[in-house]
Amino acid sequence: MMPVLLALVAFLVAVLSGLGVGSAGLLVVFMTTAMQMPQLTAQGLNLIFFLFSSGAALTVHLLRTPLLFGCVLLLLPGGFLGSYLGAVLAHAIPQALLRRLFGGLLIVAGLSGLLGKKKDRSL
């Protein structure tokens, strides 16, 4: 039963991701609650999922729009530094606090999406 459930959840998360829904939170919540996975492990697996989905999105984007390499070079050091410091901080924070912080982030992101200004799509 569990492999079928895992396949179904993975499929639904992939579909939601393709639709632009922030499915990372859904995947982490599923792994920590239904699978009893530690928060840090679930977030790490979610990052692996993100690597593959973002790689596919980047490929499609590059086929449609030229890449501004100057911007990439400008932003790359901050991305590496932020990733490293985030990983160090995640290992330093107790598991229970990390779960609460992640839950708070999901609530803030959800409220922002619900209550934020709507984009003008008439252009």
Side-chain angles (χ1 to χ4, degrees), residues 107-118:
I107 290 169
V108 168
L111 288 174
S112 173
L114 286 173
L115 304 175
K117 291 185 178 180
K118 301 292 182 195

Side-chain angles (χ1 to χ4, degrees), residues 40-66:
L40 200 55
T41 304
Q43 287 180 221
L45 285 172
N46 184 61
L47 287 175
I48 292 171
F49 176 81
F50 176 75
L51 283 174
F52 289 104
S53 63
S54 64
L58 178 63
T59 303
V60 171
H61 182 72
L62 287 175
L63 293 172
R64 295 181 178 175
T65 309

Side-chain angles (χ1 to χ4, degrees), residues 116-122:
K117 291 185 178 180
K118 301 292 182 195
K119 292 181 182 178
D120 183 15
R121 301 211 182 249
S122 62

Side-chain angles (χ1 to χ4, degrees), residues 61-99:
H61 182 72
L62 287 175
L63 293 172
R64 295 181 178 175
T65 309
L67 185 63
L68 302 172
F69 286 103
C71 289
V72 172
L73 292 176
L74 184 66
L75 296 171
L76 204 57
F80 280 125
L81 181 63
S83 298
Y84 175 74
L85 293 177
V88 169
L89 185 62
H91 279 286
I93 294 174
Q95 173 101 358
L97 178 59
L98 188 63
R99 287 180 71 127

